[in-house]
Amino acid sequence: EPRRPVPLGRSRARSRGAAGAALLPSMLMFGVILASSGLLLMIERGILAQVGPPPLHPPAGLSRRDGRDSPAELELEVLRDTRNRTIRALCGQRSMPRSVWELPPGQRRTVLRHLLVSDKYRFLYCYVPKVACSNWKRILKVLDGALESVDVQGKMDHKSDLVFLGDMKPEEISYRLKHYYKFIFVRNPMERLLSAYRNKFGEIKEYQQKYGVEIVRRYRKNGGNSAGDDVSFSEFLQYLLDEDVERMNEHWMPIYNLCQPCAVRYDFIGSYERLHADANHVLEHIQSPSFVRFPERQAWYKPVTAETLHYYLCNAQRRLIKELLPKYILDFSLFAYPLPNITSEFCRQ
């Protein structure tokens, strides 16, 4: 068996004392691995699948404030510290952008198109499709007075009554990026991809016709008669593998490319796994009116469970998943998500 790699930076951390060493969890090693040629080899050998989520115990430097912190609170504290340190480690490299103005034009257009603005409450929200962005857009419309309540039924209009940072002048963009509260919500990358697959190819005719028909025609023999509503998950993964990341549809474009967390220094990174608690934290910080709350999940919504994700991943071609990981590796590493376990032993369970 290949030997598990020692997290980079351990020897330096020891020289700085136990506090520094304990705060270098396994996820932090991704920042350096990204720049090395060893990434693909590690994925092929299954080494990265062994990288687990941050530990439950508090590392040195994260003390219990009153001695009564629950395990869940400590786990959350470690997770946020892991994300912050990993982002600082990667974004601190010389080759990484320091602002949106250092991004290539195409990448700059993408992130500015996904930053929604509230001048009244002085915040910027980078919306990520399949991470509860529709509900956040409802909240923005309520805060702006364009919508009476977050519970108003009807199809969501993702363009009208919303202010996008990309529609502003350069000096207006720079001012808001510097002075406004900035936040983003993230999700396990494979779970997000599965959610997009089930929704777009199982329910949305427009996506079936625009993408599904082409995917089936490209990857299936005698698939010319398909209506695009029978795309397999493996066919979808192969399509993502062949796609240029910069040209991907926003529903499966990596979060890193959508929101550029090195060029935009977000004040808060919420997660889909703690959606309501993190959303309440943001609403409290921006001092929204008390009647504004994060909407409850719609009754018709079919969540992606751990069992569902397990089923789809274990029934897909392992080669496709392994080859696709490098495209989403920044989402896994920066936001501290473990890579999917697709070993034969795990899939047999």
Side-chain angles (χ1 to χ4, degrees), residues 156-169:
M156 178 67 185
D157 189 327
H158 291 266
K159 297 296 181 182
S160 67
D161 300 317
L162 293 170
V163 180
F164 297 84
L165 192 61
D167 294 332
M168 297 183 170
K169 299 177 181 178

Side-chain angles (χ1 to χ4, degrees), residues 101 108-117 124 163-170 172-173 176:
W101 309 115
R108 182 165 60 246
R109 282 194 299 271
T110 296
V111 65
L112 292 181
R113 278 203 309 262
H114 284 82
L115 281 165
L116 293 170
V117 183
L124 301 176
V163 180
F164 297 84
L165 192 61
D167 294 332
M168 297 183 170
K169 299 177 181 178
E172 296 173 330
I173 293 173
R176 285 161 178 79

Side-chain angles (χ1 to χ4, degrees), residues 60-85:
L62 293 183
S63 59
R64 296 174 179 243
R65 289 178 295 275
D66 56 6
R68 296 193 299 269
D69 287 1
S70 69
E73 290 172 333
L74 292 172
E75 180 181 7
L76 176 61
E77 192 172 2
V78 172
L79 173 63
R80 287 178 176 165
D81 189 81
T82 299
R83 286 175 174 166
N84 291 337
R85 286 173 177 264

Side-chain angles (χ1 to χ4, degrees), residues 139-162:
I139 289 176
L140 263 76
K141 292 186 178 189
V142 171
L143 291 175
D144 196 45
L147 197 64
E148 182 179 348
S149 167
V150 295
D151 297 319
V152 172
Q153 300 297 317
K155 186 177 180 180
M156 178 67 185
D157 189 327
H158 291 266
K159 297 296 181 182
S160 67
D161 300 317
L162 293 170

Side-chain angles (χ1 to χ4, degrees), residues 7-9 24-36 39 42 48 82 85-93 95-96 262 329-330 332-335:
L8 282 125
L24 283 173
S26 56
M27 278 299 177
L28 188 55
M29 73 179 183
F30 280 108
V32 183
I33 291 174
L34 291 171
S36 73
L39 176 61
M42 295 179 71
L48 292 185
T82 299
R85 286 173 177 264
T86 309
I87 289 174
R88 284 200 300 269
L90 179 67
C91 297
Q93 297 182 26
S95 60
M96 303 305 288
C262 288
I329 198 67
L330 285 173
F332 281 106
S333 59
L334 291 182
F335 308 127

Side-chain angles (χ1 to χ4, degrees), residues 116-125 165 168 172-183 265-267 285:
L116 293 170
V117 183
S118 172
D119 283 327
K120 183 177 181 180
Y121 291 90
R122 296 177 65 85
F123 70 78
L124 301 176
Y125 159 60
L165 192 61
M168 297 183 170
E172 296 173 330
I173 293 173
S174 294
Y175 176 84
R176 285 161 178 79
L177 285 170
K178 182 177 180 181
H179 296 286
Y180 281 19
Y181 180 72
K182 299 173 287 295
F183 68 93
R265 301 303 173 93
Y266 293 97
D267 299 290
H285 184 91

Side-chain angles (χ1 to χ4, degrees), residues 188-298:
N188 181 297
M190 295 308 297
E191 185 179 304
R192 176 173 170 252
L193 288 182
L194 179 55
S195 178
Y197 163 76
R198 295 173 74 197
N199 174 239
K200 300 308 175 186
F201 299 109
E203 303 172 1
I204 312 299
K205 197 171 188 64
E206 176 188 350
Y207 277 78
Q208 294 169 359
Q209 294 174 342
K210 183 175 181 180
Y211 295 98
V213 171
E214 171 61 21
I215 290 174
V216 173
R217 184 195 65 78
R218 190 187 301 182
Y219 301 113
R220 190 186 306 172
K221 290 183 179 180
N222 304 319
N225 296 325
S226 171
D229 58 352
D230 60 343
V231 178
S232 71
F233 190 55
S234 286
E235 288 171 337
F236 177 57
L237 295 180
Q238 182 66 61
Y239 168 72
L240 297 179
L241 188 59
D242 294 339
E243 275 289 279
D244 180 358
V245 169
E246 297 297 332
R247 298 184 180 182
M248 281 184 175
N249 179 279
E250 62 176 9
H251 289 84
W252 42 80
M253 181 181 284
I255 297 174
Y256 179 88
N257 298 80
L258 288 174
C259 295
Q260 295 290 342
C262 288
V264 179
R265 301 303 173 93
Y266 293 97
D267 299 290
F268 183 77
I269 299 176
S271 64
Y272 189 83
E273 295 75 23
R274 283 180 45 89
L275 184 57
H276 279 82
D278 285 351
N280 288 336
H281 172 85
V282 171
L283 292 174
E284 181 179 346
H285 184 91
I286 65 174
Q287 299 182 345
S288 69
S290 58
F291 68 87
V292 176
R293 55 174 177 75
F294 198 81
E296 294 296 328
R297 178 183 293 166
Q298 299 290 338

